[in-house]
Amino acid sequence: MTVRLTLLCAAAPAERDVRFGDTPLDERAVRQARAAAGALPAASAWFTSPSERCRQTARSLGWNAVVVEPPLRDMDMGSWQGRTLAEVAADDGAGLAAWMSDPEAAPHGGESVADVCARVAAWLDALPAETGRAHAVVEQAVARAAVLRALDAPMSSFWRVDVPPLSAVALTGRNGRWNLRAGAVDGRA
């Protein structure tokens, strides 16, 4: 049986200074998630990242019986947690440049891109064939890592995958082989 997995990037608050780490949704983001609820096809399984942002998005979508999956957590940002990109660039420009150019680098003491990619690939490959059609609300880093796994792309491509809030990544897979499925999020994917 083929697993049909739609990864939906969590909604995001409208704050101007986006920070590394979990931020709860504001009312605008909740409304946007509610509006997206009808765009997804029916599913037999629902998953979410453990973050508050992802769990709020799943609730706003009206999902019941959602399984919180720790492997779908966001990248551990270590000492950069809670800081803005501008703050990190000002205080640790060389570390930020290394992290964004070397998938093995983790100058912040958290996870590297390689760590996230390995964790997400292991979760994908462990999904049982009986999963059928499933949806998961995930962090952007998780969606990027899943795309790289499906395409067998080099980890250096991680930052070249753009996944805005409430965008969907559709994957199909079986026996550890994944495919990226492009298309509208209207039940045809």
Side-chain angles (χ1 to χ4, degrees):
M1 179 182 250
T2 298
V3 175
R4 297 184 184 287
L5 176 65
T6 301
L7 301 175
L8 185 70
C9 285
E15 61 184 78
R16 293 181 184 190
D17 293 327
V18 177
R19 297 183 178 277
F20 289 118
D22 191 13
T23 51
L25 301 184
D26 56 19
E27 190 53 41
R28 179 196 61 77
V30 169
R31 280 193 312 274
Q32 289 175 333
R34 285 182 183 144
L40 294 167
S44 56
W46 299 268
F47 305 106
T48 185
S49 159
S51 73
E52 180 61 25
R53 166 181 51 232
C54 287
R55 289 182 292 127
Q56 279 183 293
T57 300
R59 283 191 303 269
S60 298
L61 290 165
W63 294 0
N64 297 316
V66 177
V67 176
V68 175
E69 287 286 342
L72 298 180
R73 70 188 177 279
D74 202 1
M75 184 181 294
D76 178 353
M77 297 310 299
S79 63
W80 295 349
Q81 184 75 17
R83 302 179 72 200
T84 67
L85 186 62
E87 290 169 346
V88 172
D91 294 343
D92 188 10
L96 181 63
W99 178 64
M100 294 191 75
S101 61
D102 177 2
E104 301 288 339
H108 45 69
E111 285 182 293
S112 68
V113 166
D115 294 335
V116 173
C117 289
R119 172 169 42 89
V120 171
W123 182 83
L124 286 170
D125 293 347
L127 280 174
E130 317 65 70
T131 301
R133 184 177 293 276
H135 300 318
V137 177
V138 298
E139 305 289 351
Q140 290 175 322
V142 171
R144 286 182 175 118
V147 168
L148 297 187
R149 173 68 182 101
L151 298 177
D152 198 22
M155 285 181 278
S156 60
S157 303
F158 184 84
W159 297 112
R160 301 190 71 187
V161 178
D162 189 17
V163 283
L166 295 175
S167 63
V169 173
L171 304 173
T172 59
R174 76 175 100 176
N175 300 326
R177 179 174 174 212
W178 289 93
N179 299 302
L180 180 65
R181 183 177 179 122
V185 183
D186 63 1
R188 294 179 287 160

